[in-house]
């Protein structure tokens, strides 16, 4: 089913899953998309279900579905990180597909973007990544970027590798590998353009 990313209200169409990405995000969570309770029931999705979101140029990401009692039936909420991973903007069409039996990941290799760690004098793994993933059973996708808050600072990280699959859930016993030099933004942007 599809929804259209749009800032504002559009006429609702009774197509399975049609809704709008709603610009205002109350909870800025990189792993969550929100639907109205009525839309969840219509789509036969439940709170906590996992979905694959497909955007432009066959870009995909993964998210957890939550209900939002204040959200209109023809809207969907996601944060900027999800839209960036999908390479979509408000007004673009995105496909939403339920994802059954999401695998658990054993290892994740993740590195920060160099331009987001200036002034951070804390250990990134201890103060950012471990609290971000601790006891959350967070779904991730290889190649995606995530903004992680640590106190009053935010650092953007990229998922470089995952085992055993490209998509999965980070568990309490998943090994977080952080060895390597911070990523240069220009190299990342160049790689995106070459895809």
């Amino acid at each position: 089913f599809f929804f259209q990313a749009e800032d504002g209200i559009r006429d609702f169409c009774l197509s399975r899953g049609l809704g709008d990405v709603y610009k205002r995000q109350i909870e800025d969570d990189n792993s969550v998309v929100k639907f109205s309770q009525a839309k969840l029931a219509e789509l036969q999705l439940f709170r906590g279900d996992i979905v694959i979101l497909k955007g432009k140029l066959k870009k995909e990401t993964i998210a957890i579905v939550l209900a939002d009692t204040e959200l209109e039936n023809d809207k969907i909420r996601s944060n900027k990180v999800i839209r960036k991973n999908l390479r979509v903007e408000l007004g673009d069409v995105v496909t939403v597909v339920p994802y059954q039996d999401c695998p658990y990941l054993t290892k994740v290799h993740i590195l920060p973007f160099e331009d987001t760690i200036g002034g951070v004098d804390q250990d990134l793994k201890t103060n950012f990544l471990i609290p971000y993933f601790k006891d959350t059973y967070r779904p991730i996708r290889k190649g995606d970027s995530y903004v992680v808050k640590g106190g009053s600072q935010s650092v953007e990280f990229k998922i470089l590798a995952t085992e055993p699959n490209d998509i999965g859930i980070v568990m309490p016993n998943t090994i977080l590998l952080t060895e390597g030099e911070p990523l240069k933004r220009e190299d990342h942007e160049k790689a995106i353009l070459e895809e």
Side-chain angles (χ1 to χ4, degrees), residues 149-184:
K149 295 179 182 172
S152 62
Q153 296 174 305
S154 295
V155 174
E156 186 175 357
F157 292 89
K158 182 174 181 175
I159 308 294
L160 298 177
T162 57
E163 289 183 17
N165 301 329
D166 288 347
I167 292 178
I169 298 172
V170 177
M171 303 288 294
N173 61 343
T174 300
I175 299 168
L176 299 176
L177 304 171
T178 57
E179 292 76 28
E181 293 297 315
L183 304 171
K184 295 191 182 304

Short mmCIF file of all heavy atoms in Angstrom, two decimals, residues 149-184:
data_model
loop_
_atom_site.label_atom_id
_atom_site.label_comp_id
_atom_site.label_asym_id
_atom_site.label_seq_id
_atom_site.Cartn_x
_atom_site.Cartn_y
_atom_site.Cartn_z
N LYS A 149 21.03 10.92 19.99
CA LYS A 149 21.26 11.97 20.99
C LYS A 149 21.97 11.39 22.21
O LYS A 149 21.67 10.29 22.65
CB LYS A 149 19.94 12.60 21.40
CG LYS A 149 19.28 13.35 20.26
CD LYS A 149 17.97 13.96 20.63
CE LYS A 149 17.40 14.63 19.40
NZ LYS A 149 16.06 15.09 19.58
N GLY A 150 22.91 12.16 22.72
CA GLY A 150 23.62 11.81 23.95
C GLY A 150 23.70 13.06 24.80
O GLY A 150 24.51 13.94 24.53
N GLY A 151 22.82 13.18 25.77
CA GLY A 151 22.74 14.41 26.55
C GLY A 151 22.20 15.53 25.68
O GLY A 151 21.15 15.38 25.04
N SER A 152 22.94 16.62 25.57
CA SER A 152 22.47 17.76 24.77
C SER A 152 23.05 17.75 23.36
O SER A 152 22.81 18.67 22.59
CB SER A 152 22.86 19.06 25.47
OG SER A 152 24.27 19.15 25.57
N GLN A 153 23.81 16.72 23.00
CA GLN A 153 24.45 16.65 21.69
C GLN A 153 23.85 15.54 20.86
O GLN A 153 23.35 14.54 21.39
CB GLN A 153 25.95 16.42 21.86
CG GLN A 153 26.65 17.57 22.57
CD GLN A 153 28.09 17.25 22.86
OE1 GLN A 153 28.40 16.24 23.47
NE2 GLN A 153 28.99 18.12 22.41
N SER A 154 23.91 15.72 19.54
CA SER A 154 23.45 14.70 18.60
C SER A 154 24.59 14.35 17.64
O SER A 154 25.33 15.23 17.21
CB SER A 154 22.26 15.21 17.79
OG SER A 154 21.16 15.43 18.63
N VAL A 155 24.69 13.07 17.33
CA VAL A 155 25.70 12.58 16.39
C VAL A 155 24.98 11.74 15.35
O VAL A 155 24.11 10.94 15.68
CB VAL A 155 26.79 11.75 17.11
CG1 VAL A 155 27.74 11.13 16.10
CG2 VAL A 155 27.54 12.61 18.11
N GLU A 156 25.36 11.91 14.08
CA GLU A 156 24.78 11.10 13.02
C GLU A 156 25.72 9.93 12.72
O GLU A 156 26.92 10.13 12.50
CB GLU A 156 24.56 11.93 11.76
CG GLU A 156 23.83 11.16 10.67
CD GLU A 156 23.51 12.00 9.45
OE1 GLU A 156 23.79 13.23 9.45
OE2 GLU A 156 22.98 11.42 8.48
N PHE A 157 25.15 8.73 12.71
CA PHE A 157 25.89 7.50 12.45
C PHE A 157 25.36 6.83 11.19
O PHE A 157 24.19 7.01 10.85
CB PHE A 157 25.72 6.50 13.61
CG PHE A 157 26.35 6.93 14.89
CD1 PHE A 157 25.65 7.70 15.81
CD2 PHE A 157 27.65 6.54 15.22
CE1 PHE A 157 26.21 8.08 17.02
CE2 PHE A 157 28.22 6.91 16.42
CZ PHE A 157 27.51 7.68 17.32
N LYS A 158 26.20 6.03 10.56
CA LYS A 158 25.77 5.23 9.42
C LYS A 158 26.01 3.76 9.72
O LYS A 158 27.06 3.39 10.26
CB LYS A 158 26.53 5.62 8.15
CG LYS A 158 26.07 4.83 6.92
CD LYS A 158 26.70 5.32 5.65
CE LYS A 158 26.16 4.49 4.49
NZ LYS A 158 26.63 4.98 3.21
N ILE A 159 25.04 2.93 9.36
CA ILE A 159 25.16 1.48 9.51
C ILE A 159 25.94 0.96 8.30
O ILE A 159 25.46 0.99 7.17
CB ILE A 159 23.77 0.79 9.57
CG1 ILE A 159 22.87 1.43 10.62
CG2 ILE A 159 23.94 -0.71 9.77
CD1 ILE A 159 23.31 1.25 12.03
N LEU A 160 27.17 0.50 8.54
CA LEU A 160 28.04 0.04 7.45
C LEU A 160 27.84 -1.44 7.13
O LEU A 160 27.95 -1.84 5.97
CB LEU A 160 29.50 0.28 7.81
CG LEU A 160 29.89 1.75 8.02
CD1 LEU A 160 31.35 1.83 8.44
CD2 LEU A 160 29.64 2.55 6.77
N ALA A 161 27.60 -2.24 8.14
CA ALA A 161 27.45 -3.68 7.92
C ALA A 161 26.58 -4.26 9.03
O ALA A 161 26.58 -3.77 10.16
CB ALA A 161 28.81 -4.36 7.92
N THR A 162 25.85 -5.31 8.68
CA THR A 162 25.03 -6.03 9.65
C THR A 162 25.13 -7.52 9.36
O THR A 162 25.32 -7.93 8.21
CB THR A 162 23.54 -5.60 9.56
OG1 THR A 162 23.08 -5.81 8.22
CG2 THR A 162 23.34 -4.15 9.93
N GLU A 163 25.02 -8.32 10.40
CA GLU A 163 25.03 -9.78 10.24
C GLU A 163 23.88 -10.36 11.05
O GLU A 163 23.59 -9.87 12.13
CB GLU A 163 26.35 -10.37 10.76
CG GLU A 163 27.54 -10.08 9.88
CD GLU A 163 28.82 -10.74 10.41
OE1 GLU A 163 28.73 -11.67 11.24
OE2 GLU A 163 29.90 -10.33 9.97
N PRO A 164 23.20 -11.35 10.55
CA PRO A 164 23.46 -12.09 9.33
C PRO A 164 22.74 -11.52 8.10
O PRO A 164 22.98 -11.98 6.98
CB PRO A 164 22.93 -13.48 9.64
CG PRO A 164 21.79 -13.25 10.57
CD PRO A 164 22.19 -12.04 11.38
N ASN A 165 21.85 -10.53 8.26
CA ASN A 165 21.08 -9.98 7.15
C ASN A 165 21.31 -8.47 7.04
O ASN A 165 21.82 -7.85 7.96
CB ASN A 165 19.59 -10.25 7.34
CG ASN A 165 19.28 -11.73 7.44
OD1 ASN A 165 19.96 -12.55 6.85
ND2 ASN A 165 18.26 -12.06 8.20
N ASP A 166 20.85 -7.89 5.93
CA ASP A 166 20.95 -6.43 5.74
C ASP A 166 19.91 -5.66 6.55
O ASP A 166 20.06 -4.47 6.78
CB ASP A 166 20.79 -6.06 4.27
CG ASP A 166 22.00 -6.47 3.43
OD1 ASP A 166 23.04 -6.81 4.01
OD2 ASP A 166 21.89 -6.44 2.19
N ILE A 167 18.84 -6.33 6.94
CA ILE A 167 17.78 -5.73 7.74
C ILE A 167 17.55 -6.63 8.94
O ILE A 167 17.54 -7.85 8.81
CB ILE A 167 16.46 -5.62 6.94
CG1 ILE A 167 16.62 -4.60 5.81
CG2 ILE A 167 15.30 -5.23 7.84
CD1 ILE A 167 15.40 -4.45 4.94
N GLY A 168 17.37 -6.01 10.12
CA GLY A 168 17.11 -6.83 11.30
C GLY A 168 16.94 -6.00 12.55
O GLY A 168 16.93 -4.76 12.50
N ILE A 169 16.82 -6.69 13.65
CA ILE A 169 16.58 -6.06 14.95
C ILE A 169 17.84 -6.16 15.81
O ILE A 169 18.43 -7.23 15.93
CB ILE A 169 15.40 -6.74 15.68
CG1 ILE A 169 14.12 -6.55 14.85
CG2 ILE A 169 15.22 -6.19 17.08
CD1 ILE A 169 12.94 -7.34 15.36
N VAL A 170 18.23 -5.03 16.38
CA VAL A 170 19.35 -5.01 17.32
C VAL A 170 18.85 -5.48 18.67
O VAL A 170 17.91 -4.91 19.23
CB VAL A 170 19.97 -3.60 17.43
CG1 VAL A 170 21.08 -3.58 18.47
CG2 VAL A 170 20.50 -3.15 16.07
N MET A 171 19.46 -6.54 19.18
CA MET A 171 19.08 -7.16 20.44
C MET A 171 20.06 -6.73 21.54
O MET A 171 21.12 -6.20 21.24
CB MET A 171 19.14 -8.69 20.29
CG MET A 171 18.29 -9.24 19.19
SD MET A 171 16.56 -9.16 19.60
CE MET A 171 16.53 -10.31 20.96
N PRO A 172 19.74 -7.01 22.81
CA PRO A 172 20.69 -6.70 23.87
C PRO A 172 22.05 -7.39 23.69
O PRO A 172 23.07 -6.85 24.09
CB PRO A 172 19.98 -7.19 25.14
CG PRO A 172 18.53 -7.10 24.81
CD PRO A 172 18.44 -7.45 23.35
N ASN A 173 22.06 -8.55 23.05
CA ASN A 173 23.33 -9.26 22.87
C ASN A 173 23.96 -9.04 21.49
O ASN A 173 24.96 -9.67 21.15
CB ASN A 173 23.14 -10.76 23.12
CG ASN A 173 22.15 -11.39 22.17
OD1 ASN A 173 21.37 -10.71 21.52
ND2 ASN A 173 22.18 -12.71 22.08
N THR A 174 23.41 -8.12 20.69
CA THR A 174 24.02 -7.79 19.40
C THR A 174 25.34 -7.07 19.65
O THR A 174 25.41 -6.16 20.47
CB THR A 174 23.08 -6.88 18.57
OG1 THR A 174 21.85 -7.57 18.34
CG2 THR A 174 23.71 -6.52 17.24
N ILE A 175 26.37 -7.47 18.96
CA ILE A 175 27.69 -6.84 19.11
C ILE A 175 27.74 -5.58 18.26
O ILE A 175 27.49 -5.63 17.05
CB ILE A 175 28.81 -7.83 18.69
CG1 ILE A 175 28.78 -9.06 19.60
CG2 ILE A 175 30.17 -7.15 18.72
CD1 ILE A 175 29.64 -10.21 19.11
N LEU A 176 28.05 -4.44 18.91
CA LEU A 176 28.19 -3.17 18.21
C LEU A 176 29.67 -2.92 17.92
O LEU A 176 30.46 -2.75 18.84
CB LEU A 176 27.63 -2.03 19.05
CG LEU A 176 26.14 -2.10 19.40
CD1 LEU A 176 25.75 -0.95 20.31
CD2 LEU A 176 25.28 -2.12 18.16
N LEU A 177 30.03 -2.91 16.65
CA LEU A 177 31.41 -2.68 16.24
C LEU A 177 31.56 -1.22 15.80
O LEU A 177 30.78 -0.74 14.97
CB LEU A 177 31.78 -3.60 15.09
CG LEU A 177 31.60 -5.10 15.35
CD1 LEU A 177 31.78 -5.89 14.07
CD2 LEU A 177 32.57 -5.55 16.42
N THR A 178 32.53 -0.52 16.37
CA THR A 178 32.71 0.91 16.08
C THR A 178 34.14 1.22 15.64
O THR A 178 34.54 2.38 15.69
CB THR A 178 32.34 1.75 17.32
OG1 THR A 178 33.17 1.33 18.42
CG2 THR A 178 30.89 1.59 17.68
N GLU A 179 34.88 0.21 15.22
CA GLU A 179 36.26 0.43 14.80
C GLU A 179 36.29 1.09 13.43
O GLU A 179 35.54 0.73 12.54
CB GLU A 179 37.03 -0.90 14.74
CG GLU A 179 37.29 -1.54 16.09
CD GLU A 179 36.04 -2.23 16.67
OE1 GLU A 179 35.17 -2.66 15.88
OE2 GLU A 179 35.93 -2.31 17.89
N GLY A 180 37.17 2.07 13.31
CA GLY A 180 37.33 2.76 12.03
C GLY A 180 37.28 4.26 12.21
O GLY A 180 36.87 4.77 13.25
N GLU A 181 37.73 4.95 11.18
CA GLU A 181 37.75 6.41 11.19
C GLU A 181 36.35 6.95 10.91
O GLU A 181 35.58 6.33 10.18
CB GLU A 181 38.72 6.93 10.12
CG GLU A 181 40.17 6.61 10.40
CD GLU A 181 40.67 7.26 11.68
OE1 GLU A 181 40.39 8.46 11.88
OE2 GLU A 181 41.33 6.57 12.47
N PRO A 182 36.03 8.10 11.49
CA PRO A 182 34.72 8.73 11.18
C PRO A 182 34.56 8.93 9.68
O PRO A 182 35.54 9.15 8.95
CB PRO A 182 34.79 10.07 11.92
CG PRO A 182 35.77 9.83 13.03
CD PRO A 182 36.79 8.88 12.47
N LEU A 183 33.33 8.86 9.22
CA LEU A 183 33.03 8.98 7.79
C LEU A 183 33.03 10.43 7.35
O LEU A 183 32.55 11.31 8.07
CB LEU A 183 31.65 8.37 7.51
CG LEU A 183 31.47 6.92 7.94
CD1 LEU A 183 30.02 6.51 7.82
CD2 LEU A 183 32.36 6.00 7.12
N LYS A 184 33.54 10.66 6.15
CA LYS A 184 33.51 12.00 5.58
C LYS A 184 32.20 12.16 4.80
O LYS A 184 31.85 11.32 3.98
CB LYS A 184 34.70 12.21 4.66
CG LYS A 184 36.03 12.18 5.41
CD LYS A 184 37.15 12.64 4.53
CE LYS A 184 38.48 12.56 5.24
NZ LYS A 184 38.56 13.29 6.48
#
